[in-house]
C-alpha cells in the first residue's frame, strides 16, 4: 500500500508524543557525515521521482533496495506516477577516484530538481542511499530531501557489532532484521558468536551431532508447567541452530547491505557443547553428556590430540565455504588451563609439541588454526588471550579486556579491533533503572559515544593497526530478540558514529538522536529510550 506505515513520523500538527518533533529541522544524519553544507530549497520525493543509474551501477540491486526501503518505512512509491518529468531524478553514478574518494565513501548533492549520489564503489553508493533515506523529511505536501552537499567516508574500516547467538538463539528472520538495521547505521561487520559452552549453533555436515546434540539444552532452574512436555513429563529442550542454507542466505543478504559476517568458532575453551556432542574432543575421560544451561566460565577444554585438530580443521573447512569474508574468528577467550595442567596425556602432548607451558600449548593451537586458515586464503582473528604464549604470525587481536591487548598487538605490528569492556559491552545496562535488563554495570549511550578509538596508549604511528571498533552483545541475560534490540539501540548509533565520523560532537549527536529514535519507530525496532546520562 502507498500509505505511511504504523509509527511513521507524525506531522508537526500530529500527536504530542515526545518523538513527533520531526521534519522541519535540518538534516539529522547518524553517523555524522565528514562534510555537509546546506543549500536552499528541497527536492520533493514521490511517484514522479525517477531513479537513474550510471554505467556499471547495479541498478537492479540498489534500486530494489532503495525502492523497498522508501516504500516499507514511509509508504513512498518511487517512480510510480508514469509520466515522469526529466527534472525529478535521483541519479547514482560510479566515479573513479571520485571526490569523496576512498573505500565506502560517497558524495551526495541534492537540489530542488535533482539528487546525484556518486562513489568509487558500490559500497559507497549504498551508503549514499542510506544517507538519502535519513534525509527524508515529511512536510505538508509530502516527503522532501533538503538541498545539501555531502562529502562522506568512514574513519575506520571495521565498524562492528557482535551478536551472541549461542547463549540464546535468535531465529534467522531476526538476524535479517538486525542486518537491515545495522546497515542503516553504516555498520559493516556482524561478528556472529556461534559456539559456546551452552550451545553449538552452526550446522556442520561432517559432524551432525554438533547441532543434533549441541544445539539443545535442558533449561536451568525449575521448569514452569508450560515448559513440561506432556509426552515425556520432562522439561522441553531449549535451542535451535542455523542450517547451512540459512547461513548462505544470511551471508548473501548481509553482503547486499555491505555487511561482512565474521563467524566465531570458539576454542580451546567455551567448548562444552561440542564436547557433549563428541566426548572424544574432551580432556576428561568421562565428560558430561549434557549441554550446560548455566552461565559462567566452564573448565572444559578441547584436548590436543591430532584427531581434535583434524576435527577443528574439518569444521573450519566448512566454515570457510559458508562465510566468504576475509576474517574467521577462533575465540581463544577464557580458556582456564586447569584441565590441561591436570592431564598426563595433555602434558605428554605438550612435550611432543615442544610447548613449555599451557599458554604455549594454546599458542600452538591457534597457530595451527592460522596455518590452516591461511591455506584457505583467510585471516585469523581472536580475543586478546591469543597473545598469551606468543601471537600467531598474522593474527588480528580483538581487544576486550580493556585495550591492553590492542596496545600489545599494535606494538608488535599486528592489527587490532577495539571492543573493550566495560564501555563497549552492550550486555551492560544502558541506564540505571531498576527494571532495565542486563548486567549490573552501566554503559550509557554517552559513555559509548565518549569511547576514544585512537587511544594515546597506542602511538600515532602504530594506530594504523587499529582496524576499528566493535560493541558486543553477549546474551546470557538477553533471552529474546526484542531484548537484543533494546540493548543494542540506540547505543549502536553511538558506536556507529565513533567508528565512522572524523570528530566527536556529543551535543550534536544527542540532538540528532531524536531523529534516530523516530527511525527506530518507523522500522519497528525496540530501543532503550533514555539517552540521558545517569542522573546524579
Ligand atoms: C566474557 S568477552 C566473555 C563471554 C561472556 C562475557 C559476559 C569474552 C571474550 N568472553 O563469554 O559472555 O564475558 O560479559
Amino acid at each position: 500500500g502507498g500509505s505511511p506505515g504504523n509509527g511513521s513520523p507524525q506531522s508537526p500538527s500530529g500527536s504530542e508524543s515526545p518523538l513527533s518533533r520531526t521534519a522541519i529541522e535540518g538534516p539529522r544524519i547518524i553517523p555524522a557525515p565528514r562534510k555537509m553544507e546546506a543549500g536552499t530549497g528541497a527536492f520533493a520525493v514521490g511517484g514522479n521521482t525517477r531513479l537513474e543509474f550510471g554505467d556499471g551501477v547495479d541498478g537492479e540491486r540498489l534500486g530494489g533496495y532503495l525502492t523497498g526501503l522508501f516504500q516499507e518505512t514511509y509508504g513512498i512509491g518511487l517512480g510510480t506516477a508514469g509520466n515522469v518529468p526529466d527534472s525529478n531524478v535521483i541519479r547514482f553514478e560510479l566515479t573513479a577516484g571520485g571526490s569523496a574518494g576512498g573505500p565506502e565513501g560517497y558524495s551526495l548533492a541534492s537540489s530542488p530538481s535533482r539528487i546525484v549520489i556518486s562513489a568509487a564503489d558500490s559500497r559507497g553508493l549504498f551508503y549514499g542511499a542510506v544517507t538519502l533515506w535519513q534525509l527524508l523529511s515529511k512536510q505538508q505536501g509530502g516527503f522532501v530531501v533538503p538541498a545539501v552537499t555531502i562529502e562522506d567516508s568512514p574513519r575506520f574500516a571495521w565498524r562492528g557489532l557482535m551478536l551472541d547467538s549461542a547463549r540464546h538463539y535468535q531465529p534467522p528472520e531476526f538476524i535479517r532484521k538486525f542486518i537491515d538495521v545495522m546497515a542503516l547505521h553504516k555498520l559493516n561487520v556482524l561478528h556472529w558468536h556461534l559456539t559456546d559452552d551452552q550451545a553449538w549453533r552452526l550446522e556442520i555436515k561432517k559432524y551432525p551431532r554438533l547441532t543434533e546434540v549441541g544445539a539443545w539444552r535442558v533449561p536451568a532452574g525449575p521448569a514452569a508447567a508450560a515448559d513440561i512436555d506432556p509426552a515425556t513429563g520432562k522439561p522441553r529442550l531449549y535451542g535451535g541452530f542455523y542450517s547451512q542454507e540459512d547461513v548462505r542466505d544470511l551471508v548473501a543478504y548481509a553482503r547486499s547491505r555491505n555487511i561482512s559476517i565474521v563467524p566465531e568458532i570458539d576454542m580451546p575453551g567455551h567448548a562444552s557443547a561440542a564436547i557433549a556432542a563428541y566426548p572424544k574432543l574432551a580432556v576428561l575421560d568421562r565428560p558430561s553428556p549434557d549441554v550446560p544451561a548455566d552461565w559462567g566460565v566452564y573448565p572444559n577444554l578441547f584436548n590436543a590430540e591430532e584427531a581434535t585438530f583434524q576435527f577443528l580443521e574439518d569444521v573450519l573447512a566448512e566454515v570457510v565455504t559458508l562465510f566468504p569474508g576475509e576474517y574467521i574468528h577462533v575465540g581463544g577467550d577464557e580458556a582456564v588451563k586447569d584441565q590441561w595442567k591436570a592431564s598426563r596425556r595433555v602434558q605428554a602432548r605438550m612435550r611432543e609439541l615442544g610447548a613449555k607451558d599451557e599458554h604455549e600449548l594454546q599458542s600452538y593451537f591457534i597457530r595451527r588454526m592460522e596455518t590452516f586458515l591461511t591455506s584457505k586464503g583467510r585471516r585469523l582473528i581472536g580475543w586478546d588471550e591469543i597473545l598469551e604464549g606468543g601471537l600467531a604470525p598474522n593474527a588480528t587481536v580483538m581487544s576486550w579486556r580493556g585495550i591492553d591487548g590492542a596496545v600489545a598487538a599494535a606494538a608488535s605490528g599486528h592489527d587490532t579491533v577495539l571492543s573493550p569492556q566495560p564501555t563497549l559491552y552492550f550486555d551492560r545496562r544502558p541506564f540505571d533503572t531498576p527494571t532495565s535488563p542486563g548486567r549490573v554495570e552501566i554503559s550509557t549511550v554517552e559513555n559509548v559515544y565518549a569511547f576514544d578509538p585512537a587511544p594515546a596508549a597506542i602511538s600515532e604511528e602504530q594506530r594504523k593497526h587499529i582496524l576499528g571498533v566493535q560493541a558486543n552483545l553477549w546474551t546470557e541475560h538477553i533471552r529474546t530478540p526484542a531484548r537484543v534490540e533494546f540493548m543494542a539501540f540506540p547505543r549502536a548509533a553511538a558506536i556507529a558514529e565513533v567508528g565512522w565520523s572524523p570528530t566527536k560532537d556529543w551535543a550534536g549527536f544527542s540532538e540528532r538522536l531524536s531523529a534516530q529514535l523516530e527511525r527506530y519507530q518507523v522500522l519497528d525496532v525496540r530501543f532503550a529510550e533514555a539517552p540521558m546520562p545517569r542522573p546524579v
Side-chain angles (χ1 to χ4, degrees):
S3 65
N6 285 341
S8 73
Q10 309 286 327
S11 65
S13 59
S15 99
E16 289 317 308
S17 145
L19 296 172
S20 66
R21 304 184 293 115
T22 14
I24 14 174
E25 296 161 45
R28 289 188 291 169
I29 299 167
I30 289 181
R34 186 159 53 80
K35 231 173 101 194
M36 180 164 70
E37 266 170 52
T40 38
F43 178 99
V45 185
N48 278 326
T49 305
R50 185 162 53 95
L51 297 179
E52 197 179 273
F53 302 100
D55 286 347
V57 178
D58 185 348
E60 212 168 300
R61 181 171 85 91
L62 190 57
Y65 174 75
L66 192 68
T67 307
L69 184 65
F70 276 39
Q71 182 65 55
E72 282 155 31
T73 52
Y74 298 114
I76 301 170
L78 287 173
T80 49
N83 186 16
V84 174
D86 240 11
S87 62
N88 201 341
V89 168
I90 300 174
R91 179 176 168 80
F92 288 88
E93 57 192 24
L94 285 168
T95 48
S99 47
E104 302 183 281
Y106 67 92
S107 59
L108 183 154
S110 57
S111 70
S113 61
R114 210 173 159 72
I115 298 176
V116 179
I117 293 168
S118 49
D121 64 24
S122 63
R123 301 180 299 167
L125 292 181
F126 179 83
Y127 287 143
V130 169
T131 294
L132 179 64
W133 176 76
Q134 290 198 350
L135 283 169
L136 286 170
S137 101
K138 194 176 184 182
Q139 302 292 320
Q140 230 98 65
F143 284 90
V144 302
V145 169
V148 71
T149 308
I150 293 173
E151 298 289 329
D152 202 7
S153 59
R155 179 173 181 184
F156 292 104
W158 186 302
R159 305 177 303 277
L161 291 181
M162 188 218 72
L163 178 62
D164 173 3
S165 295
R167 271 54 173 274
H168 283 96
Y169 172 79
Q170 307 88 23
E173 307 80 78
F174 175 75
I175 309 289
R176 206 175 281 266
K177 180 183 180 189
F178 198 68
I179 287 166
D180 274 331
V181 183
M182 279 181 70
L184 294 171
H185 290 81
K186 302 189 175 87
L187 291 165
N188 66 354
V189 175
L190 172 57
H191 168 179
W192 201 10
H193 186 75
L194 285 165
T195 74
D196 213 299
D197 292 303
Q198 295 84 2
W200 184 288
R201 301 268 182 236
L202 176 65
E203 179 188 24
I204 299 295
K205 299 278 192 199
K206 189 157 188 185
Y207 300 106
R209 285 175 59 84
L210 285 171
T211 44
E212 285 168 8
V213 172
W216 307 94
R217 63 183 188 240
V218 179
D227 298 332
I228 305 285
D229 184 345
T232 62
K234 291 186 185 157
R236 260 184 260 276
L237 295 176
Y238 172 86
F241 65 90
Y242 307 100
S243 70
Q244 296 204 348
E245 203 186 325
D246 290 335
V247 170
R248 286 206 175 84
D249 285 354
L250 287 168
V251 165
Y253 192 77
R255 203 175 209 186
S256 75
R257 280 146 180 72
N258 285 334
I259 291 174
S260 165
I261 303 187
V262 175
E264 179 183 352
I265 305 295
D266 209 343
M267 63 185 83
H270 290 283
S272 306
I275 286 170
Y278 293 100
K280 283 217 160 73
L281 301 169
V283 177
L284 304 181
D285 288 338
R286 268 178 245 278
S288 164
D290 301 321
V291 176
D294 220 338
W295 319 125
V297 178
Y298 280 78
N300 297 317
L301 299 176
F302 289 120
N303 62 37
E305 303 297 323
E306 266 321 295
T308 296
F309 292 129
Q310 187 60 53
F311 162 87
L312 289 166
E313 291 179 0
D314 290 344
V315 166
L316 291 179
E318 293 193 30
V319 166
V320 299
T321 65
L322 292 169
F323 296 93
E326 187 178 7
Y327 291 91
I328 304 290
H329 202 301
V330 297
D333 58 313
E334 299 180 320
V336 277
K337 308 292 188 299
D338 298 357
Q339 289 187 349
W340 280 357
K341 282 192 182 124
S343 159
R344 290 174 58 189
R345 180 71 202 127
V346 172
Q347 293 297 316
R349 276 293 277 163
M350 280 169 54
R351 285 189 294 276
E352 267 169 54
L353 299 170
K356 281 199 307 292
D357 61 18
E358 291 75 22
H359 286 312
E360 286 197 8
L361 178 58
Q362 170 164 303
S363 171
Y364 173 84
F365 208 108
I366 300 296
R367 281 168 204 255
R368 270 291 282 260
M369 297 304 128
E370 181 177 82
T371 302
F372 181 77
L373 290 173
T374 303
S375 78
K376 302 286 182 189
R378 305 309 176 86
R379 302 193 64 187
L380 177 145
I381 182 166
W383 298 111
D384 55 50
E385 287 93 332
I386 67 172
L387 283 151
E388 295 162 2
L391 192 52
N394 296 303
T396 298
V397 173
M398 188 169 269
S399 193
W400 74 277
R401 297 176 299 175
I403 60 159
D404 293 357
V407 173
S412 57
H414 287 254
D415 288 346
T416 184
V417 174
L418 306 174
S419 65
Q421 63 169 3
T423 312
L424 301 189
Y425 268 44
F426 285 5
D427 53 344
R428 298 180 182 235
R429 297 190 295 178
F431 44 77
D432 188 16
T433 75
T435 54
S436 62
R439 292 182 181 275
V440 180
E441 300 91 337
I442 290 163
S443 181
T444 66
V445 69
E446 186 170 10
N447 296 148
V448 175
Y449 194 83
F451 177 72
D452 182 3
I458 299 177
S459 76
E460 220 161 304
E461 182 200 333
Q462 287 168 3
R463 277 187 212 142
K464 62 174 186 287
H465 291 299
I466 301 177
L467 298 182
V469 293
Q470 177 177 296
N472 297 332
L473 280 150
W474 298 105
T475 59
E476 291 99 321
H477 305 285
I478 304 180
R479 295 186 301 270
T480 63
R483 188 153 283 186
V484 171
E485 292 180 1
F486 181 89
M487 297 299 268
F489 306 106
R491 289 182 292 182
I495 198 62
E497 185 149 314
V498 171
W500 180 283
S501 307
T503 49
K504 293 272 182 78
D505 168 22
W506 167 249
F509 176 81
S510 44
E511 202 277 317
R512 282 175 282 120
L513 194 54
S514 58
Q516 191 76 358
L517 301 187
E518 287 161 9
R519 291 176 197 127
Y520 294 150
Q521 290 205 319
V522 167
L523 295 164
D524 196 23
V525 167
R526 282 196 68 188
F527 55 91
E529 189 182 354
M532 303 305 292
R534 196 178 175 184
V536 274

